[in-house]
Amino acid sequence: MLNGKNVLLGVTGGIAAYKTTFLVRLFIKAGANVKVILTDSASSFVSPLTLATLSKNPVISNFVKSEENTIAWNNHVEFGLWADLILIAPATANTMSKMASGTCDNLLLATYLSAKCPVFVAPAMDLDMYKHPSTKSSLDALASFGNNIIPATSGELASGLHGEGRMAEPEDIIEFIKKQLVSGLSLSGKKVLITAGPTYEAIDPVRFIGNHSSGLMGFELARTAANLGAEVYLVTGPTHLIIAHNNVHVINVVSADDMYHSTQMYFENADIVICAAAVADYRPKSVAEQKIKKSDENLTLELVKNRDILMTLGEHKKNQYLVGFALETENEVQNAIGKLKRKNLDAIVLNSMQDKGAGFGGTTNKISFIDTNSTITAFELKTKAEVAVDIFNEIIKRRYA
Ligand code: CTP
């Protein structure tokens, strides 16, 4: 969740500021980039050098900076735009009151007012200050602006008193932020079923009929859905690809029949289903128990049709948003729309074999997304990872926007 995210930590003047050293370490450990803005009074509680060392970035406090006899300014707008999220911890009663009223008399407050990203506020103060109606009204105002308040906890306070007002522990702050970011994702709470890769249809114990599908498109779709917060069931034929993501459950299958049975298990509870697998249309009528020996000049294999997995899902569809793929060599759009109707789909992703770099095997793809109104959205040649994002954007626009 936090990997690669730009986190701006605003530290204000309370004793809990000493805990921000742990907070910075946890953010860095989670893969985030961290910059710290320290108010003047906060620097009495925690050393700027400590935070600069831990965050691997200079700590900033004032609008004006002087370097080698030159005077420049710290651009609060730039900090606000850089941040993917802002955390103000500890947030004193003074700073929260200023944030609530729009007062802008230091760099942190100016950055807060300029920022467009989610803002998290972790209050910390003595119990009577925390209980005071003015603090309550600041907190209400901040929440009404869409800021996320991380409630103070109860316990021993620096004053020696016991009660509510302790800043949440650094680990709990990180957990709170992660949960909040997940619930803000557009596929949070949704289940996504994806088929990927080729299928292998056995001829005898050592031979099979297969195809060159790498599975990459399906794996990128799975990764994208998982990053958007979905719980993903990836039913994949044989491939060398691996995916390690907490939200992705991989179900390995070999033949079209295995894939059919596995998709049946996950279909009913799925919200979105995408069939990206290159399923073999036919399989040998019988599988030889022993390795077939070469004898005659010619060998004839009798093939029988496999079940069309996508078609059966279309027949049993209730609320699932069902998407198929079509790889066409001629009359692409017409054939794709024909498949969309025949298989009762909500959308079909068309790869044209006429486009260089599209389709099987490679790392790029060029697709058109076609929906039931025959609205065609055509995309440029992109990496399969980017194509996966485009596909989910189109689905989310139609299903959840
Ligand atoms: N598909 C499937 N099960 C099959 C065959 C295909 O689920 N037995 C799915 C693929 O995953 C893809 C879509 O159907 O999403 C289109 O597959 P494609 O082979 O291009 O089309 P077909 O309907 O099989 O028609 P044709 O081969 O005649 O073009």
Side-chain angles (χ1 to χ4, degrees):
M1 283 308 304
L2 290 167
N3 193 16
K5 289 262 188 310
N6 292 338
V7 175
L8 188 78
L9 174 64
V11 184
T12 70
I15 179 64
Y18 84 91
K19 291 187 184 171
T20 56
T21 54
F22 299 102
L23 257 176
V24 171
R25 281 204 59 202
L26 291 172
F27 276 125
I28 296 281
K29 241 174 115 180
N33 309 307
V34 182
K35 287 186 183 176
V36 181
I37 298 183
L38 206 60
T39 63
D40 279 340
S41 54
S43 57
S44 308
F45 293 98
V46 61
S47 144
L49 184 59
T50 310
L51 292 173
T53 310
L54 291 171
S55 68
K56 305 183 176 89
N57 272 312
V59 167
I60 319 129
S61 282
N62 298 305
F63 283 105
V64 181
K65 59 177 174 186
S66 51
E67 283 165 1
E68 293 174 4
N69 299 328
T70 60
I71 301 288
W73 66 305
N74 280 313
N75 187 338
H76 55 280
V77 179
E78 240 170 51
F79 291 138
L81 292 177
W82 174 84
D84 294 315
L85 72 93
I86 293 181
L87 167 65
I88 302 184
T92 58
N94 184 39
T95 290
M96 290 197 301
S97 160
K98 288 177 177 179
M99 286 167 74
S101 67
T103 307
C104 184
D105 62 1
N106 65 32
L107 182 66
L108 177 60
L109 291 164
T111 305
Y112 161 71
L113 286 175
S114 312
K116 296 196 176 90
C117 62
V119 176
F120 294 83
V121 179
M125 65 202 74
D126 218 64
L127 77 163
D128 291 317
M129 291 173 78
Y130 194 60
K131 267 198 248 158
H132 199 280
S134 64
T135 306
K136 170 101 183 58
S137 94
S138 298
L139 283 167
D140 289 346
L142 291 180
S144 76
F145 302 157
N147 298 303
N148 303 281
I149 311 296
I150 307 174
T153 60
S154 215
E156 196 182 334
L157 301 163
S159 60
L161 296 172
H162 212 87
E164 220 176 356
R166 270 169 73 103
M167 187 175 83
E169 291 304 322
E171 288 82 3
D172 298 332
I173 291 179
I174 300 278
E175 270 317 297
F176 185 101
I177 291 173
K178 280 190 189 164
K179 272 199 192 132
Q180 204 60 27
L181 292 179
V182 167
S183 67
L185 293 175
S186 38
L187 290 181
S188 177
K190 302 281 181 283
K191 290 191 166 59
V192 175
L193 169 63
I194 292 169
T195 69
T199 62
Y200 286 0
E201 309 303 320
I203 298 170
D204 67 17
V206 293
R207 302 183 181 94
F208 60 83
I209 298 172
N211 61 64
H212 290 297
S213 167
S214 64
L216 185 60
M217 192 64 248
F219 274 63
E220 292 299 358
L221 284 164
R223 199 185 319 277
T224 303
N227 286 340
L228 287 166
E231 185 157 359
V232 181
Y233 297 88
L234 174 63
V235 179
T236 176
T239 156
H240 297 297
L241 300 175
I242 42 172
I243 189 163
H245 195 301
N246 281 347
N247 291 4
V248 181
H249 310 273
V250 180
I251 300 104
N252 290 299
V253 297
V254 177
S255 66
D257 203 43
D258 298 339
M259 188 173 273
Y260 169 80
H261 288 292
S262 292
T263 51
Q264 295 297 313
M265 281 170 62
Y266 299 100
F267 182 66
E268 196 177 328
N269 292 324
D271 298 288
I272 297 171
V273 181
I274 307 179
C275 288
V279 186
D281 287 329
Y282 293 90
R283 67 178 184 281
K285 187 173 181 187
S286 57
V287 182
E289 274 181 32
Q290 305 300 329
K291 188 179 165 212
I292 299 172
K293 289 283 186 194
K294 58 178 172 296
S295 50
D296 297 343
E297 271 313 300
N298 298 315
L299 171 71
T300 305
L301 285 175
E302 192 180 349
L303 303 180
V304 291
K305 221 176 190 175
N306 275 327
R307 266 182 288 218
D308 188 320
I309 301 168
L310 184 58
M311 179 94 97
T312 35
L313 299 182
E315 282 161 7
H316 296 103
K317 191 175 75 165
K318 290 193 181 106
N319 286 319
Q320 298 88 345
Y321 192 92
L322 184 59
V323 182
F325 269 71
L327 183 65
E328 303 292 340
T329 52
E330 55 177 355
N331 298 330
E332 296 99 348
V333 171
Q334 218 177 320
N335 284 342
I337 292 176
K339 262 176 211 174
L340 179 144
K341 292 195 172 135
R342 206 166 52 249
K343 299 192 186 189
N344 191 25
L345 310 181
D346 295 286
I348 193 151
V349 178
L350 167 65
N351 319 133
S352 163
M353 283 297 271
Q354 289 174 9
D355 291 319
K356 246 183 130 197
F360 261 29
T363 54
T364 55
N365 209 354
K366 187 169 186 306
I367 61 142
S368 296
F369 188 95
I370 307 174
D371 66 14
T372 43
N373 299 323
S374 301
T375 306
I376 304 170
T377 314
F379 294 91
E380 296 303 310
L381 183 74
K382 295 183 179 190
T383 64
K384 286 184 175 171
E386 291 167 325
V387 170
V389 173
D390 288 336
I391 290 172
F392 274 104
N393 279 340
E394 294 305 313
I395 296 171
I396 289 164
K397 247 194 274 174
R398 286 165 177 80
R399 184 36 66 107
Y400 301 112

